[in-house]
Amino acid sequence: MLAAGLCFFLCMSNLVAVEAAEYEDPQIQKIYEEYKDLREFQLMREEYGQAYADDFLEAVLDSRWAELQRGGMGDVCYQYVKNLKQTKDYNCGPATILQTLYGIGCADAVSGSNDDEKVNNLTDDCKSNEKEGTMVYRATNVLNSYCNKGYIYEVCTQIAIDTFEEKVAASLTAGRPVLLHPKTGSFDYYGGKNSGHYISLDYINRTTKMVRVVDCNLDDKYYGVREVKLEEAYNS
């Protein structure tokens, strides 16, 4: 999720052919061509409407311009989040959203007397369920509704690792912890277990090529804070 900087990295291969659209701005048209076959984008447009989809494309353009204009990020960038546990098998998305909101100082905006209640309320907001978990476009919308950070989602499989690194650094420098929606098999600490999940990324060292991931998994075997190789996060 992004808008003025960076944000929700989404690794997906679910593509759906759609009719071509025409935008007067060639930059918006180019971005549309990137997103138009992505299932998440199509569902977002269907649920929230064409105007919302148009605004999203504008937000992506604004985000990329901001990345180009931002300099002096340094080798170490961070915006730490709070490590929480999801409350259900399928609400890692809402738990990661709450981790993010703690990291940017907006968690108090979520109703609930404790973190579990807040996660459950965010689960309702995201319409998360056992069948499909949490859709990325809904998570993006809900996160933005509680903060003014302008998150968007990007498709990591369509960018090079150097670009991924730059986006992570830019996002953290702008005070936006990164949310990953990976397949867990790319992370060594999952030992080959490959499932869809949401994980926070809140630190990068561009010299050592290491990042910090914050995992809300119910299983203590995977839950916690770890430093992993940048390549693991990118390949997820």
Side-chain angles (χ1 to χ4, degrees):
M1 296 140 63
L2 258 141
L6 164 327
C7 269
F8 216 119
F9 287 114
L10 168 65
C11 301
M12 293 188 75
S13 58
N14 294 329
L15 302 180
V16 180
V18 297
E19 296 180 7
E22 293 294 334
Y23 290 91
E24 292 184 4
D25 187 334
Q27 295 177 95
I28 295 294
Q29 182 66 31
K30 182 178 179 181
I31 293 171
Y32 171 72
E33 294 297 328
E34 292 178 31
Y35 281 87
K36 68 183 178 68
D37 291 335
L38 185 64
R39 179 170 176 267
E40 287 275 353
F41 182 80
Q42 294 305 315
L43 291 173
M44 179 185 73
R45 184 166 65 176
E46 180 180 338
E47 183 169 337
Y48 298 147
Q50 185 62 49
Y52 185 98
D54 292 344
D55 288 344
F56 175 82
L57 296 176
E58 290 279 359
V60 174
L61 178 60
D62 290 345
S63 174
R64 293 179 181 178
W65 272 113
E67 288 170 30
L68 292 173
Q69 295 167 351
R70 185 176 294 113
M73 290 182 285
D75 289 335
V76 176
C77 312
Y78 57 89
Q79 183 73 27
Y80 293 137
V81 305
K82 179 180 179 179
N83 195 192
L84 304 168
K85 270 195 177 184
Q86 59 194 93
T87 61
K88 298 177 174 65
D89 289 339
Y90 58 84
N91 69 354
C92 55
T96 303
I97 290 173
L98 187 58
Q99 289 187 159
T100 303
L101 291 172
Y102 269 113
I104 57 183
C106 296
D108 287 346
V110 183
S111 61
S113 59
N114 55 53
D115 289 338
D116 284 353
E117 288 185 5
K118 289 177 182 289
V119 170
N120 289 336
N121 286 328
L122 288 169
T123 300
D124 291 339
D125 290 345
C126 292
K127 300 180 181 178
S128 304
N129 58 71
E130 292 184 73
K131 181 179 179 180
E132 59 186 14
T134 304
M135 303 302 292
V136 170
Y137 72 92
R138 288 177 181 157
T140 306
N141 184 58
V142 170
L143 177 55
N144 283 329
S145 74
Y146 285 103
C147 71
N148 61 354
K149 291 293 185 178
Y151 276 89
I152 67 166
Y153 55 88
E154 293 259 18
V155 186
C156 296
T157 53
Q158 295 181 358
I159 60 178
I161 190 169
D162 289 346
T163 303
F164 175 77
E165 177 185 332
E166 291 169 2
K167 287 180 176 292
V168 168
S171 186
L172 296 175
T173 301
R176 297 179 183 87
V178 175
L179 295 84
L180 299 174
H181 186 39
K183 289 294 186 181
T184 57
S186 69
F187 291 103
D188 288 346
Y189 71 93
Y190 269 88
K193 180 182 178 181
N194 199 33
S195 59
H197 194 39
Y198 282 83
I199 297 174
S200 295
L201 189 163
D202 65 0
Y203 164 97
I204 184 171
N205 185 317
R206 304 186 73 182
T207 300
T208 63
K209 304 300 182 184
M210 299 293 289
V211 298
R212 190 177 98 141
V213 294
V214 183
D215 197 324
C216 64
N217 203 307
L218 274 173
D219 190 334
D220 286 335
K221 184 177 180 180
Y222 309 114
Y223 169 80
V225 180
R226 298 171 177 83
E227 283 200 12
V228 303
K229 297 175 183 177
L230 173 69
E231 185 177 10
E232 291 180 46
Y234 170 71
N235 287 333
S236 69

